[in-house]
Amino acid sequence: MSVTSDKRAPGVRISDLSVVYRTGAGELPAVRGVDLELEPGTITGVVGESGSGKSTLALSMLNAVQPPGRIRSGSVEIDGLGDVVTLGGDDLRKTRGRHVGYVFQAAQNSLNPLKTVGKQLLDLGRSHDVDDLPGLVKEARSLLDRMGLDGARVLDSYQHELSGGMRQRVGIMLALVLNAHVVVLDEPTTALDMITQATILRIIREVHEERGLTTLVITHDLGVVAEIADRLAVMYGGRLVEQGPTREVLGAPKHPYTQGLLQAIPRLVGDIDEARALPGRPPTLGTIPPDGCVFRERCAVRMDVCETGEPPVLTIGPRVVACHTAAGDGEQKETVTTGPTRGEEQA
Amino acid sequence: MITGKGITKTFRQRGGMLGAREVPALRGVDFSIEKGGAVSFIGESGCGKTTLGRILAGLESYDSGEIVIDGVPMSSLRPKQRQPHFRRVQLIHQDPYSALNPARTIHQTLDAPLTLRAKQTGRSRSWIDERAEELLGLVGLDPGYVLPRYPHQLSGGMRQRVVIARALTVDPDMLVADEATSMIDVSLRLGILGLLKDLRDRLGVSVLFITHDVATARYIGLDGELYVIYRGQVVERGPVETVISDPVHPYTQSLLSAIPVLHGLEVPGAERVVPTEAIDAAQPDAGCLFAARCPFRTERCTSELPVLGHDGGTLQEHACFHPQRRSVVATPAVAS
């Protein structure tokens, strides 16, 4: 295993990012005006329902939004690398994997079914001009061993010979083996059962700390974020509606959507009559209202101003919330700045 | 009322050089559900919960055991004669999108089974349309909006409601909902669970709920029963709230401990059992099936197979030699 130190973890600043998809009805925004800072060495969790733009946001970290989508404006600054949005060609290709590792959903079978894991590892090494291929294999094996697998056996296996939890670990290995220090995990535990999920989450947390990573986890499951993330960001209709230290946001959510979502989660304890589904449905690309608040259709505390007025982005200590009802709670700022707060330390 | 007794099922995999490999999916499962009742199966993938659901819906054969539907043992009937009985059990799949024909409007989707139903019961054409609207109303949809639309024009939650409405066209006694909420957006999940509970209350339909998300089992009714299944065996069975708040089997405790804690809202249970991952099922089957993964195993566990019972005076049934209550579930954090 490589020598690690927290100093190597780069910070990431996503500023005013907007991503649009070209459709018959013109260009529609999937992500709009997102500001998000990933502090070095932290895990940030982005939570959203289908159509919230969370996966598009994740792809933007690699500048990998595919046509008909495109990044219309904004930047993704990674320490030591610059703005990923401006990169192209070979520079961009090298960035992916070397600097930013991406773990795809295991359920989507992101591995090639015709090649062993080891062969795919060598392909990865060659495409990144790695001279020391035996060293790469050694590193891969030690990473897999670290995650509780028999590394040598896994490298000799085809994907169909591996369980969902094992494939997910192979995905993590491939994302880290080139020594990337920014890692994006897209729905890392979807389609895994509870015990495997708990194991994968523990591994993500441990590897994150050992290797000194800056990690972004994208998920629809608040529980996943609650378990591992230092900071939580909630997306709805392409907007970041709330963010802050995980425990603070879960303990006292400020945005009506976050509040509704927490109330809508089936829980193991407590009064089941207190839980209720949010009315209405999440917006799709075509039904996101162009003006005003994106959540107003389903909001219990909506006001007249929500129809037309863009919700102000309020920064309250380490927390950020974009809602008209929160106005007066904090200071309104043009650009979002986040404090150096980690959820873990708050606890 | 539907009961199953000693149901076993073994899948035979075509092996390589060593020949066929046998995978036991169910090892003598007893099951019973009252009219209007609720039963939930929980367990990891591959534990046999889906197989049992499919057997009860008549979609899968079983090797031995007996299923009795309203007093009629299925073994006394020829396969053709069983069909109308099994039709009273309707399956609701995980993915409502692939369960609906994308080229048919919701009107067409409901029309076909209702036409058949009208023929069977000698009703008129106008009854079909009325019934379609009635059923959509029952599942909480606006018929005027939904009927002319195609599945892709509806949200996941609406699609799942359409699937449930379609299942209701044949007036079933039981709905088997296999992971019916896991692909539905979180904010809408409770709506589907509430609907299933509502159908129990209003129509007397019983619900068999198959899931790996234990918490959802509470929301189809607290009067329901929970079955915890491990490698084809029921290891703990009892009232939902009892099994969740006072589990005695280490496997149930591992499952419950694995559920993420909403830090800030909840405090983790004091005696969380750190779960170990599944081990390849091809190990020798002597003793308790869970022994190899169990942190509390003793010598007896590796030589003798525990059977389901109330040993130790527990409220729920369990298959463990050393039943012990442990507080593994998170509790609400005290508001600061």
Side-chain angles (χ1 to χ4, degrees):
Chain A
M1 196 149 298
S2 56
V3 187
T4 59
S5 88
D6 256 58
K7 286 187 200 98
R8 298 179 64 177
V12 179
R13 283 162 308 281
I14 299 170
S15 310
D16 197 27
L17 185 75
S18 290
V19 183
V20 293
Y21 285 92
R22 190 174 303 124
T23 70
E27 284 195 328
L28 298 173
V31 170
R32 203 151 43 129
V34 165
D35 289 303
L36 180 66
E37 182 167 353
L38 314 183
E39 294 279 334
T42 61
I43 300 182
T44 303
V46 173
V47 170
E49 296 181 272
S50 55
S52 64
K54 60 186 189 300
S55 294
T56 302
L57 176 68
L59 287 171
S60 306
M61 295 272 296
L62 284 174
N63 191 3
V65 178
Q66 295 300 309
R70 70 180 178 90
I71 296 175
R72 182 162 65 187
S73 62
S75 62
V76 179
E77 294 266 356
I78 299 179
D79 285 347
L81 198 68
D83 184 1
V84 181
V85 173
T86 60
L87 293 179
D90 240 23
D91 289 342
L92 182 60
R93 190 175 60 78
K94 295 238 163 84
T95 297
R96 300 173 180 165
R98 276 235 184 259
H99 297 277
V100 185
Y102 201 102
V103 184
F104 297 91
Q105 281 188 41
Q108 288 179 339
N109 294 336
S110 55
L111 297 169
N112 184 337
L114 301 176
K115 288 182 170 181
T116 61
V117 173
K119 284 236 169 73
Q120 292 176 64
L121 173 71
L122 292 177
D123 286 349
L124 178 76
R126 282 188 211 104
S127 68
H128 283 273
D129 305 321
V130 173
D131 295 325
D132 181 17
L133 287 177
L136 187 74
V137 172
K138 209 172 139 216
E139 170 75 4
R141 207 161 45 209
S142 81
L143 263 168
L144 290 168
D145 289 341
R146 166 66 192 83
M147 293 189 273
L149 300 180
D150 176 351
R153 209 196 102 196
V154 169
L155 289 178
D156 273 336
S157 300
Y158 292 92
Q159 63 137 11
H160 71 267
E161 298 172 303
L162 305 172
S163 71
M166 290 162 93
R167 265 182 243 169
Q168 194 57 269
R169 275 175 268 204
V170 169
I172 295 172
M173 177 277 286
L174 289 171
L176 295 178
V177 72
L178 292 173
N179 225 1
H181 281 83
V182 177
V183 177
V184 181
L185 299 117
D186 190 3
E187 300 278 8
T189 60
T190 303
L192 301 180
D193 55 52
M194 282 297 168
I195 293 180
T196 314
Q197 163 169 304
T199 312
I200 296 288
L201 293 180
R202 180 175 51 78
I203 286 171
I204 291 172
R205 180 95 232 175
E206 287 171 3
V207 170
H208 165 86
E209 272 161 21
E210 283 165 17
R211 297 178 74 91
L213 307 175
T214 301
T215 303
L216 181 66
V217 178
I218 307 287
T219 178
H220 70 277
D221 187 348
L222 258 177
V224 166
V225 168
E227 196 67 41
I228 62 168
D230 305 309
R231 266 185 90 80
L232 162 63
V234 182
M235 279 192 89
Y236 189 85
R239 298 282 191 160
L240 246 180
V241 295
E242 177 159 13
Q243 56 167 307
T246 305
R247 286 169 194 235
E248 284 186 40
V249 175
L250 293 180
K254 287 189 189 291
H255 196 281
Y257 174 62
T258 320
Q259 291 164 356
L261 199 58
L262 274 169
Q263 220 177 22
I265 299 177
R267 305 262 300 274
L268 282 173
V269 287
D271 190 350
I272 61 168
D273 296 323
E274 273 177 26
R276 53 182 51 87
L278 272 168
R281 53 191 279 195
T284 58
L285 202 54
T287 61
I288 296 175
D291 304 305
C293 173
V294 284
F295 181 62
R296 64 173 187 266
E297 298 285 319
R298 305 173 77 188
C299 185
V301 293
R302 117 194 208 183
M303 305 180 292
D304 286 344
V305 63
C306 307
E307 301 291 329
T308 47
E310 215 46 56
V313 177
L314 304 158
T315 303
I316 307 150
R319 300 182 58 175
V320 181
V321 59
C323 179
H324 287 292
T325 61
D329 281 8
E331 230 176 286
Q332 188 173 338
K333 286 184 185 172
E334 276 305 310
T335 50
V336 177
T337 48
T338 54
T341 323
R342 287 186 58 174
E344 282 301 302
E345 290 156 10
Q346 295 283 309
Chain B
M1 178 156 157
I2 298 173
T3 57
K5 209 148 183 59
I7 297 168
T8 64
K9 171 79 185 176
T10 300
F11 288 106
R12 280 165 191 86
Q13 284 184 340
R14 287 245 221 98
M17 295 195 318
L18 297 172
R21 192 176 105 157
E22 300 206 331
V23 182
L26 296 170
R27 312 172 193 241
V29 171
D30 293 344
F31 163 84
S32 130
I33 187 166
E34 301 279 342
K35 181 176 163 54
V39 165
S40 301
F41 291 167
I42 62 165
E44 290 163 289
S45 32
C47 74
K49 56 187 194 295
T50 293
T51 305
L52 189 51
R54 288 176 59 83
I55 287 174
L56 291 168
L59 295 172
E60 188 84 70
S61 65
Y62 45 103
D63 300 340
S64 65
E66 178 69 280
I67 292 175
V68 182
I69 301 181
D70 279 336
V72 185
M74 291 300 110
S75 62
S76 69
L77 303 175
R78 276 200 291 250
K80 260 256 157 71
Q81 295 173 307
R82 283 178 206 158
Q83 255 184 21
H85 291 278
F86 279 123
R87 187 166 296 142
R88 291 157 69 185
V89 180
Q90 287 292 313
L91 195 62
I92 294 159
H93 291 277
Q94 176 175 4
D95 181 0
Y97 196 67
S98 60
L100 293 171
N101 187 334
R104 287 187 173 191
T105 63
I106 306 309
H107 181 263
Q108 290 169 315
T109 296
L110 294 178
D111 196 62
L114 282 174
T115 305
L116 193 73
R117 195 73 188 151
K119 242 186 229 164
Q120 285 168 350
T121 53
R123 283 191 237 243
S124 65
R125 177 75 229 170
S126 63
W127 174 83
I128 297 174
D129 290 338
E130 276 168 34
R131 184 72 179 146
E133 294 192 7
E134 188 188 338
L135 288 173
L136 288 174
L138 205 58
V139 298
L141 293 173
D142 170 11
Y145 178 83
V146 173
L147 278 170
R149 287 191 155 67
Y150 289 93
H152 75 266
Q153 294 170 304
L154 305 176
S155 73
M158 288 165 112
R159 272 181 227 139
Q160 195 60 290
R161 286 170 193 265
V162 169
V163 171
I164 293 171
R166 183 179 60 182
L168 294 175
T169 57
V170 297
D171 300 312
D173 294 334
M174 177 158 92
L175 296 176
V176 177
D178 192 351
E179 300 282 8
T181 58
S182 57
M183 288 182 70
I184 310 293
D185 271 314
V186 183
S187 71
L188 307 174
R189 226 170 254 185
L190 278 180
I192 300 294
L193 295 167
L195 171 62
L196 291 174
K197 181 171 187 299
D198 194 42
L199 294 175
R200 291 179 52 210
D201 295 342
R202 285 162 66 180
L203 304 181
V205 176
S206 46
V207 173
L208 170 58
F209 193 69
I210 301 170
T211 183
H212 65 260
D213 184 359
V214 191
T216 52
R218 300 173 75 220
Y219 293 82
I220 56 165
L222 289 175
D223 56 334
E225 273 208 302
L226 196 63
Y227 286 52
V228 183
I229 305 181
Y230 183 68
R231 289 177 63 193
Q233 191 196 10
V234 177
V235 296
E236 187 158 359
R237 172 169 74 184
V240 174
E241 288 290 66
T242 307
V243 177
I244 288 179
S245 53
D246 282 318
V248 294
H249 196 288
Y251 178 62
T252 314
Q253 291 165 355
S254 306
L255 274 183
L256 292 167
S257 301
I259 295 167
V261 174
L262 296 173
H263 296 281
L265 263 185
E266 299 171 346
V267 182
E271 298 168 282
R272 264 177 128 176
V273 177
V274 176
T276 48
E277 262 188 291
I279 300 163
D280 196 351
Q283 56 180 329
D285 283 341
C288 173
L289 296 169
F290 187 61
R293 292 169 70 186
C294 183
F296 311 108
R297 69 171 172 270
T298 60
E299 216 154 283
R300 186 181 179 197
C301 304
T302 53
S303 56
E304 207 180 318
L305 183 69
V307 290
L308 207 58
H310 290 282
D311 279 4
T314 58
L315 192 57
Q316 69 269 49
E317 292 176 277
H318 60 83
C320 180
F321 291 127
H322 313 290
Q324 196 184 336
R325 286 160 56 166
R326 290 183 182 90
S327 51
V328 295
V329 171
T331 49
V334 183
S336 50

